[in-house]
């Protein structure tokens, strides 16, 4: 790794700069994404990323401590493309059924080839890098939490309905476990995605609708 020229090197615990420095950092992340999505992850290096940007290798290490630091930045950078829309779909207005419709629409939307390749590369890198694995785990926890929150909406609706019938105040359905239902649905979605990569003609939307309806009805 190149030696840093001064004492101003950003580190994970320090605030990032602004202006030109942020633009350079964004360029390096974009180049890293391009390389990870288009080449073997095993050949990914900070030197190649810097070269793609037309920057010095030392400049790359000014912004990122090492190769893993850059990969973790890529993991965070793709969050708005697959997790944030799901969070917004669940947090948006409407009852459980409406929110579930928005979620299923997102889950069955075709993933771009670049993002699919990028996810595959990141999973491969996580096999041999603890920090990359930890970064991915954190993102998947956030992704799974969306489904837990969705089923929490259902639990609250059921509680309110029972409260209206009995004249008591609601507050959550003790018989419905949002975490169990949400985690179960998330696991099914993850497995379905892997299966669909081998069987593209699989009717994923129909499968997800049936699963969502079964979990809601069974609960």
């Amino acid at each position: 790794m190149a030696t840093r020229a001064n004492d101003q090197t950003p580190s994970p615990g320090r605030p990032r700069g602004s202006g030109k420095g942020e633009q350079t950092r964004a360029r390096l992340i974009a180049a890293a994404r391009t390389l990870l999505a288009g080449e073997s992850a095993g050949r990914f290096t900070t030197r190649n990323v810097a070269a793609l940007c037309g920057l010095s290798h030392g400049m790359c290490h000014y912004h990122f401590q090492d190769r893993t630091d850059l990969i973790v930045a890529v993991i965070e950078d793709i969050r708005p493309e697959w997790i944030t829309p799901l969070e917004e779909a669940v947090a948006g207005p409407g009852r459980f059924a409406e929110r579930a419709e928005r979620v299923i629409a997102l889950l069955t939307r075709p993933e771009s080839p670049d993002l699919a390749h990028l996810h595959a590369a990141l999973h491969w890198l996580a096999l041999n890098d603890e920090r990359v694995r930890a970064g991915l785990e954190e993102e998947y926890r956030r992704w799974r939490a969306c489904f837990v929150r969705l089923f929490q909406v259902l639990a609250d609706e059921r509680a309110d309905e029972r409260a209206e019938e009995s004249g008591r105040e609601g507050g959550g359905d003790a018989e419905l476990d949002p975490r169990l239902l949400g985690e179960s649905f998330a696991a099914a979605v993850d497995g379905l995605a892997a299966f669909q990569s081998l069987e593209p003609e699989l009717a994923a939307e129909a499968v997800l609708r049936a699963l969502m309806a079964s979990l809601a009805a069974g609960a």
Side-chain angles (χ1 to χ4, degrees):
M1 183 173 70
T3 303
R4 296 175 178 82
N6 53 48
D7 228 17
Q8 300 175 352
T9 304
S11 67
R14 293 171 63 178
R16 296 171 183 169
S18 58
K20 188 175 180 180
E22 275 299 290
Q23 293 175 11
T24 299
R25 188 177 189 279
R27 285 173 58 196
L28 288 163
I29 292 174
R33 287 186 56 158
T34 298
L35 291 176
L36 285 171
E39 294 186 358
S40 168
R43 297 198 299 270
F44 178 80
T45 66
T46 53
R47 191 175 298 278
N48 289 340
V49 171
L52 184 59
C53 290
L55 298 171
S56 70
H57 190 208
M59 180 59 71
C60 185
H61 283 288
Y62 171 79
H63 288 278
F64 300 98
Q65 181 178 348
D66 52 25
R67 173 176 178 264
T68 298
D69 195 27
L70 178 53
I71 294 169
V72 171
V74 169
I75 292 173
E76 296 172 355
D77 188 67
I78 63 175
R79 182 185 300 156
E81 296 167 50
W82 69 294
I83 297 179
T84 304
L86 195 59
E87 292 175 328
E88 293 172 347
V90 173
R95 292 177 62 80
F96 169 80
E98 297 171 78
R99 301 182 198 215
E101 280 294 319
R102 292 196 294 264
V103 166
I104 290 174
L106 282 173
L107 294 175
T108 54
R109 185 176 63 186
E111 186 178 44
S112 71
D114 282 352
L115 188 58
H117 293 158
L118 189 53
H119 270 123
L122 291 172
H123 279 86
W124 187 90
L125 289 163
L127 294 175
N128 299 296
D129 191 311
E130 180 63 25
R131 284 168 57 205
V132 173
R133 186 183 66 79
L136 271 182
E137 281 185 350
E138 180 58 34
E139 294 301 291
Y140 272 95
R141 274 193 293 271
R142 185 167 180 160
W143 179 76
R144 293 194 304 271
C146 295
F147 304 111
V148 175
R149 286 196 295 273
L150 177 62
F151 281 97
Q152 182 63 57
V153 172
L154 179 62
D156 292 341
E157 287 180 6
R158 297 272 179 86
D160 290 342
E161 290 168 1
R162 292 182 181 180
E164 288 180 7
E165 292 174 358
S166 63
R168 290 181 287 103
E169 185 178 349
D173 189 341
E175 298 178 11
L176 193 158
D177 185 345
R179 179 164 297 280
L180 177 60
L181 293 175
E183 294 279 1
S184 297
F185 189 79
V189 170
D190 205 28
L192 183 62
F195 188 77
Q196 195 174 25
S197 67
L198 301 175
E199 187 63 47
E201 300 305 315
L202 177 70
E205 183 174 349
V207 172
L208 290 178
R209 285 185 184 282
L211 178 60
M212 182 76 77
S214 297
L215 288 173

